[in-house]
Every structure is written in C-alpha cells, then in structure tokens.
Amino acid sequence: MILRNQVEWALHCCAVLAGLPQDRRLSTRTLAEFHGVPKEYLSKALQALSQAGIVSGTLGPAGGYRLARPADDITFLDIVEAVEGRRSTFACTNIRFNNPCRQPCADDGTKACSVARIMWQADEAWRDSLRGITLAAHAAILAKDLSPEVLERNRQWLLSRG
Amino acid sequence: MILRNQVEWALHCCAVLAGLPQDRRLSTRTLAEFHGVPKEYLSKALQALSQAGIVSGTLGPAGGYRLARPADDITFLDIVEAVEGRRSTFACTNIRFNNPCRQPCADDGTKACSVARIMWQADEAWRDSLRGITLAAHAAILAKDLSPEVLERNRQWLLSRG
DNA sequence: TAATTACGGATATATTGTATCCATAAGGAT
DNA sequence: ATCCTTATGGATACAATATATCCGTAATTA
Ligand code: FES
Ligand code: FES
C-alpha cells in the first residue's frame, strides 16, 4: 500500500502557491517545470484540487491556479483527500459473515467488526495527524529549513513565469 | 491507496488462533473455510506471517499454524507489517531537487523534505495506533462484542477440524 | 482573430494486487 | 516401507489500479 505520486506533487504545488501573493496565479506548465513532473498528468491532480475547492483555476492567458482559501484554512489532510479520496485505507469485506457455523439473523451483525474498528481507528489517527498541519504552519517550517536566499530565488523564478 | 485483502485475512486468522489453546494448530484449509477465502491465496499471507515469526507452521498431517508468541506479545502492527511491508505509506521521490533554479551542492539537501517529514509523521501516528493493540487486547474486545454461545460454537467447530 | 489556459473524456502502458497451479520436503498413519 | 497430508516456495495467469499521454472544448486575453 502506497500513496500516489500525485499526493507529493499536489502538496508541493500547494506549498508553492502558499508562498506567493494570494492573487498571483501559476499555470500547470510552470508548476510542472518547477517540479520536473509531466505536465499533462500533474494537470489531473490540480483538477482534483480545484474540484475539492482547495485551489481556484481560471482560463485564458495569464490564467492558472491560486489557493481558493487562506493558507491557514487548508490542511494537509484536505490536499491528500482531494487527490487520494476519502475512503478508509482499510476495506472490510465482512469475512466474519462467511463463518460456516454462524447462524443467520444473529445479533452480532449490528455492530462493525472489532478488527475493522481498530483498523479504522488507526486510519483516523493518520488523518488527525494530517489535519493538524496547515499550509501556513508548513510555510513556517519551510522558512526555518531553507535559507532566505533560496526562498527568494524560487519566488522570483515563479513570479517571472506565472 | 488501500490495504490488501490479505491484511483483513491475516488479522482474523491471528485472532482465531489467539482464541485457541496455544499448542493447537489450524491448517490453511480450515482457516480458509472458516473465513470463506481462497485457500491457495490465504496460504501466501500465512507464509508471510510465518516468515515474520508471528505464527509457527509445521508440516505433515495434524500440522498447521499456531501463534509463535503469546497473544499479548503480538500487536496489530506486527501483523499488518508482515503482510503489507514496513515501508512508509508515503514515498518521497525528491521532486524538490528538480527545481530548475536550485544551485547544485546546496546545503538544503542534508535534511529530508519538510513535506515528507510531515507525511512520515502521520504514517508513524498510524503505526503507533496499531502498535497499541495486542491480540490479547483484541480478544477482550471480542468477548464483549460476541455472546459466549457464538464464541463457543466457533471454538468447537475449529477444534473439531484442526 | 489568434493564442493561451483550464477542463474533461478517451486511450495506452506500467505496476501492483489477486488468484491458481505445481514441485518439493517433511511429518504422521497404516 | 508406503501413502496421505501438510507447509513452503516458485512460476504463471488474470484483474485492478496507477501512471502517462492525447485530443476536443470552452473561456479568457491580447
Ligand atoms: S469482517 Fe472485515 S475486518 Fe472483521
Ligand atoms: S521532495 Fe518528496 S516530499 Fe518534498
């Protein structure tokens, strides 16, 4: 089990957008070149973000994407779920009901399986962790990781493209 | 991203074994019939559990599997990792280094990407949650969920097969 | 009008998950 | 000794998903 590449791409794209003025837009082409990933496929991830209301896309020249909400109102979970979906990472197929000595209409079918409950609880812990980090919080981490020069250089490169 | 069916099967098989006397063994065929899953494919999951030292398999008639350790020394994480592997659910492909305006030999390459660190932290939260539940703890939950009659009926069916 | 963009559908390929089959070695029953 | 049953591991086939590309459309700007 492994998350899609799209997740890494989407997170980085959102992080980049969070570092720019809110009204500035970046095109799919610029974002693809900046991250060195195929433009056509990245477009699918950006469309998913757009449909989820995380970014806003506009048509025409000088069009592109910007964040649809303030950076402190977008969590990592929002982005991951937009690309990866909201279904639990654990799928219960109810094999407990295949039990050959189980009586039909037993009253043990009203509650979810104990195994599934534990797995879903772990899934929620994963989501809680991602829900705790906003793009604004990540920008603060990034500011400590990278030197101001590197950040400014990236910023200028992106703004010169659009 | 979704976990394999094997995970659900492996967890249920271990839960079944935990409800039996430690020296009793169950064959792949019995476990497959009990859960209504293909015997040949379930065998692969049991082999993974065997190789991870969670269950112990013996050959010959009256052979089969038993837990290799006490039930309070086997966590859900042990079982999930045996089947699903231990790699993180998030794979970083280092797209940050594809940055076209990045200078070679920059000092920002010594640390893992901030995005990856956040994703790996969430992965650890998921694992921590699974690490907190042992087969013994699950057995206690099961005892509250199911009626003693159902548990005993299953127990007898399994013991009569082996 | 022409160029550029997001958007969505269709398609192709690669990777992974699912499932089955078979050969082998080992243990128990006769 | 012989036969049956079992786990083990390799090989193979099939299905589902991930990855990637292509193209047509509509909207926007110059
Ligand atoms: S029946 Fe699906 S996890 Fe128990
Ligand atoms: S480069 Fe892989 S997560 Fe940032």
Side-chain angles (χ1 to χ4, degrees), chain A residues 56-122:
Chain A
S56 152
T58 54
L59 298 175
Y65 293 100
R66 65 171 173 81
L67 293 185
R69 285 181 271 155
D72 61 2
D73 195 29
I74 299 176
T75 70
F76 267 49
L77 181 62
D78 293 330
I79 299 166
V80 170
E81 285 187 338
V83 171
E84 195 70 32
R86 283 173 192 163
R87 283 172 310 182
S88 169
T89 55
F90 178 78
C92 170
T93 60
N94 277 314
I95 58 174
R96 59 178 174 156
F97 292 152
N98 300 335
N99 184 328
C101 54
R102 176 177 176 267
Q103 293 174 339
C105 301
D107 59 344
D108 56 355
T110 59
K111 209 173 180 180
C113 174
S114 52
V115 171
R117 295 207 306 276
I118 292 169
M119 294 302 292
W120 291 334
Q121 187 176 326

Side-chain angles (χ1 to χ4, degrees), chain A residues 8 12 34-35 145-146 154, chain B residues 92-100 102 108-114 117:
Chain A
E8 185 185 13
H12 272 268
F34 186 78
H35 293 119
D145 271 25
L146 269 52
N154 290 348
Chain B
C92 169
T93 60
N94 277 313
I95 58 174
R96 61 178 172 154
F97 292 154
N98 300 334
N99 184 328
R102 176 178 176 267
D108 56 355
T110 58
K111 210 173 178 180
C113 174
S114 51
R117 294 208 308 275

